[in-house]
Amino acid sequence: MPVVGDRVRFASRKVDEAPREGVVTGVIGQLLRIKWSTGEESTVIPGPGAVAVIGKVKASSGKKATAPAKAAKATQSAKKAKQTAKESTKRSTR
């Protein structure tokens, strides 16, 4: 049974019809929520032999997710350094 994130191919229902491919976005019991390569979404209960798992969706690297956090942290550090420099200048001029 496919799990969330699996790339799947559904057999065609008619002769001369191409199989459909998509990504599993949700699983509840036997129900599969599929986002098709065309952009549409469907909830299906596949029959025996109707679905084949053809791969996994490539996971994005953690670097992209953490880059904004690192940038925000660097900005905060820069602000603290400026604040500290400003305070030390005030103290020395008094």
Side-chain angles (χ1 to χ4, degrees):
M1 188 65 156
V3 296
V4 174
D6 282 348
R7 291 184 61 233
V8 293
R9 179 179 295 140
F10 274 75
S12 62
R13 297 183 332 197
K14 298 178 184 177
V15 176
D16 293 334
E17 188 177 69
R20 293 186 79 181
E21 292 186 7
V23 176
V24 177
T25 59
V27 177
I28 301 173
Q30 292 182 322
L31 292 172
L32 299 177
R33 183 77 180 162
I34 309 292
K35 183 166 185 170
W36 303 108
S37 57
T38 60
E40 301 168 311
E41 288 193 38
S42 302
T43 303
V44 297
I45 300 176
V51 64
V53 177
I54 58 173
K56 295 272 186 196
V57 173
K58 292 181 182 177
S60 63
S61 68
K63 292 179 183 177
K64 289 182 182 176
T66 59
K70 286 182 181 178
K73 198 171 190 178
T75 302
Q76 288 176 350
S77 296
K79 284 181 181 178
K80 283 183 183 179
K82 282 183 182 179
Q83 185 71 22
T84 304
K86 205 179 225 184
E87 289 174 359
S88 66
T89 304
K90 284 183 182 178
R91 287 185 198 138
S92 63
T93 57
R94 288 183 186 170

